[in-house]
Amino acid sequence: MTVPASAVPTPTEPTSAPPPPTRVANPTSVPHTEPAELEAILAAAAAAAGPLAALAPAARARLLRAVADALDAAADELVPLAMEESHLLEARLRGELVRTTFQLRLFGEVLEEGSYLEATIDPADPDWGMGPRPDLRRMLVPLGPVVVYAASNFPFAFSVAGGDTASALAAGCPVILKAHSGHPALSQRTGEIVAQALACAGAPDGAFAVVVGYERGIEALQDQRVKAGSFTGSIPAGRALFDIASGRPEPIPFYGELGSLNPVFVTPGAAKARGEEIATGFAGSFTLGVGQFCTKPGLLFVPAGHGLDEQIAVAAREVGAAELLNKRIAEGYAEGITRLTGAPGISVLVEGAAVDGLVVAPTVVKTTVPALLEHADALLEECFGPASLVVEYEDVEQLADAAAAFSGNLTATVHAEESEADQVAPLLSLLRDRAGRLLWNGWPTGVSVTYAMQHGGPWPATTSSIHTSVGTTAIRRFLRPVSYQGMPEALLPEVLRDKNVLGIPRRVNGTLTTDDV
Ligand code: NAP
């Protein structure tokens, strides 16, 4: 069950107003943060902001590596905890922990390389085209304390020491981590390990803390000492928190990664050339992680009359039942299945009713483009879990109509033959307006952490389409630019002085260089 936005106070209402949502774990297993404890955490974070920002990038890189090393060393303790609370399998969780520590170390390399600072130096120029220009030097500086909301579906990679925490710490921002109620004990233990590693590596006190409890999460975001928020989860919760962040007396950026349908379009050429391979790949992708990935392909457009629907049904039936994360997700999934299967114009290809409690088998439903467009309200909504909708189209015009009906998505995928490039190009340009990542003959699940990764997209995929929450540029979300004009050398940050002591790439007079000015 997702929490309705109406359960959240508007920014002008008292914070104690909303009734807490259904808890997904034993609430007594980890005590909630007391208001006085939250106050101490916020004060410490505010005090840590200056010292953390003042650390040289290489020193912050050492902090990130220390956290990565500590988490790797604790894998045998953390993975069983994660298995118990999330019901995810050991291999998946070990892989996710590898991703998490890889990410921390990669971000450390980014700090040392230095171009993330966007250091730009325009020396004074009396002959500048529009008239004499002053000496201007620009770089990015940390925003200040950030509230990070951990996600339910990635207990490591998008949680306590996940991408948002790594990004904010890399940027030089203290982190106040709101634990997800789906894995409280794991959050608490991971938080202890992170805090201890940071302290041993020389981070200022207050650079990192975990808070537990729905209300404390809201209160933290409302606090004037907090300068940004980030979140991965449902659209209602993300929207409610975005409104709180925006409605504060001092509005702050809030980076929410919310819902996505991740449509996949199969051309007639691709269906003919490799229908079975596509069917198997699709079944594997929409059921990966029991369908609890924000990049799950929730819609597959197939040409009518190619028999792909039958191949998909066979492939989906071969995927076994598995456990969902928790009761809240299971309730939301059950609602989603009821909505999908009950919509007009739908036929059920594979019926995967709940087997027992959290255990579910995949569900595949089928419709046509006209029915999809007519019942878009019911059918173009994310169903979080192992379900997907196959949509048959008659011709290229129908495909374009369908693509134009989408709002924002994290990804959009095309399966086609290279010989069909001319027909596919207009579709791709429609999709580029609606998605953050475009895939060719691949599957959207599996989001690599790299320099060029984009994990974001127009609303409702995210609350800020100009950023990414995965990949090295995720750090950019927690930085803001400052220009120094006519500043004496001694008062400039080291990064912007004439001598390039750090040896980082800087744009000097319009040209990227590592030379001194
Ligand atoms: P959620 O309900 O969005 O909760 C995420 C976080 O926000 C939790 O810390 C939760 O606190 C807090 N929260 C929830 N509603 C809030 C509100 N109105 N105001 C302030 N804080 C609020 O996410 P979830 O528990 O992971 O899953 C619920 C549904 O979200 C799923 O069924 C799925 O549809 C969707 N989901 C989507 C993605 C995605 O990547 N697209 C990922 C995960 C989930 P507590 O934990 O303390 O209650």
Side-chain angles (χ1 to χ4, degrees):
M1 182 184 76
T2 54
V3 180
S6 57
V8 178
T10 63
T12 52
E13 287 173 332
T15 57
S16 57
T22 310
R23 295 291 167 205
V24 294
N26 177 1
T28 59
S29 62
V30 171
H32 284 199
T33 306
E34 295 293 335
E37 291 172 318
L38 178 63
E39 170 53 32
I41 286 169
L42 288 163
L52 190 61
L55 284 182
R60 283 208 302 279
R62 282 195 290 278
L63 300 184
L64 298 183
R65 284 193 197 107
V67 172
D69 292 346
L71 291 172
D72 279 341
D76 288 342
E77 177 192 356
L78 295 177
V79 168
L81 259 182
M83 288 167 69
E84 193 181 324
E85 291 190 317
S86 72
H87 310 112
L88 296 170
L89 300 179
E90 178 171 359
R92 145 75 200 272
L93 288 164
R94 285 199 184 271
E96 195 185 319
L97 187 54
V98 168
R99 174 197 179 93
T100 307
T101 57
F102 169 81
Q103 181 164 256
L104 286 158
R105 293 190 180 99
L106 182 68
F107 284 15
E109 288 173 26
V110 168
L111 295 189
E112 285 164 345
E113 190 267 345
S115 60
Y116 82 98
L117 288 166
E118 297 178 14
T120 308
I121 299 176
D122 296 339
D125 183 356
D127 301 322
W128 188 238
M130 55 161 286
R133 81 177 183 204
D135 183 283
L136 278 164
R137 301 182 185 221
R138 181 185 193 266
M139 66 177 288
L140 303 182
V141 300
L143 286 177
V146 176
V147 174
V148 172
Y149 281 78
S152 59
N153 55 339
F154 283 89
F156 292 119
F158 288 84
S159 285
V160 174
D164 287 351
T165 296
S167 308
L169 289 175
C173 299
V175 169
I176 298 150
L177 189 290
K178 157 66 175 68
H180 194 282
S181 55
H183 35 78
L186 175 71
S187 301
Q188 186 185 45
R189 187 63 193 122
T190 311
E192 287 165 1
I193 291 166
V194 171
Q196 193 186 14
L198 288 171
C200 291
D205 285 348
F208 177 84
V210 173
V211 302
V212 181
Y214 178 89
E215 295 83 359
R216 296 298 96 77
I218 294 174
E219 289 158 15
L221 191 65
Q222 288 172 322
D223 192 276
Q224 294 307 298
R225 290 163 287 195
V226 166
K227 299 302 176 193
S230 66
F231 169 94
T232 300
S234 65
I235 293 175
R239 178 70 208 215
L241 291 165
F242 173 84
D243 288 344
I244 288 173
S246 310
R248 298 171 14 143
E250 178 196 348
I252 53 172
F254 182 82
Y255 306 110
E257 194 250 275
L258 315 176
S260 189
L261 289 164
N262 306 300
V264 178
F265 299 82
V266 181
T267 63
K272 193 167 166 213
R274 47 201 158 83
E276 198 174 328
E277 182 190 322
I278 289 171
T280 310
F282 173 62
S285 186
F286 88 81
T287 60
L288 197 69
V290 204
Q292 299 162 119
F293 285 174
C294 44
T295 49
K296 178 196 82 171
L299 275 165
L300 182 80
F301 290 89
V302 300
H306 281 67
L308 252 183
D309 51 348
E310 283 311 318
Q311 290 169 310
I312 288 164
V314 170
R317 281 193 201 101
E318 279 173 14
V319 179
E323 254 181 308
L324 292 167
L325 287 165
N326 58 52
K327 193 164 163 271
R328 190 195 294 175
I329 299 281
E331 286 170 0
Y333 181 62
E335 281 170 25
I337 290 291
T338 305
R339 175 174 42 78
L340 271 184
T341 54
I346 283 284
S347 60
V348 178
L349 268 182
V350 178
E351 186 157 10
V355 175
D356 178 27
L358 301 182
V359 181
V360 290
T363 290
V364 184
V365 294
K366 182 179 149 185
T367 191
T368 60
V369 168
L372 179 80
L373 297 179
E374 193 180 343
H375 307 292
D377 282 356
L379 298 177
L380 292 182
E381 195 182 316
E382 184 184 26
C383 176
F384 202 69
S388 200
L389 172 58
V390 173
V391 186
E392 280 193 339
Y393 66 89
E394 297 293 337
D395 50 37
V396 177
E397 285 71 36
Q398 275 200 350
L399 213 48
D401 289 347
F406 285 105
S407 48
N409 274 281
L410 295 169
T411 71
T413 301
V414 174
H415 279 266
E417 296 296 285
E418 292 210 5
S419 57
E420 296 171 305
D422 285 352
Q423 295 106 287
V424 168
L427 175 65
L428 273 179
S429 84
L430 275 173
L431 296 176
R432 196 186 71 170
D433 290 345
R434 292 162 175 80
R437 181 163 55 110
L438 301 175
L439 293 92
W440 175 263
N441 289 348
W443 297 103
T445 38
V447 186
S448 192
V449 181
T450 75
Y451 303 97
M453 176 50 72
Q454 174 58 27
H455 190 62
W459 173 266
T462 72
T463 57
S464 177
S465 65
I466 62 175
H467 288 289
T468 177
S469 59
V470 177
T472 57
T473 50
I475 300 169
R476 181 66 179 82
R477 293 172 297 167
F478 303 112
L479 294 162
R480 72 183 174 85
V482 173
S483 278
Y484 294 82
Q485 182 170 333
M487 199 64 62
E489 176 88 353
L491 292 178
L492 283 170
E494 198 172 39
V495 170
L496 296 177
R497 291 184 188 163
D498 285 353
K499 190 158 179 48
N500 190 1
V501 183
L502 301 178
I504 66 170
R506 307 187 299 180
R507 188 170 294 281
V508 178
N509 215 358
T511 303
L512 264 186
T513 175
T514 53
D515 291 348
D516 297 338
V517 176

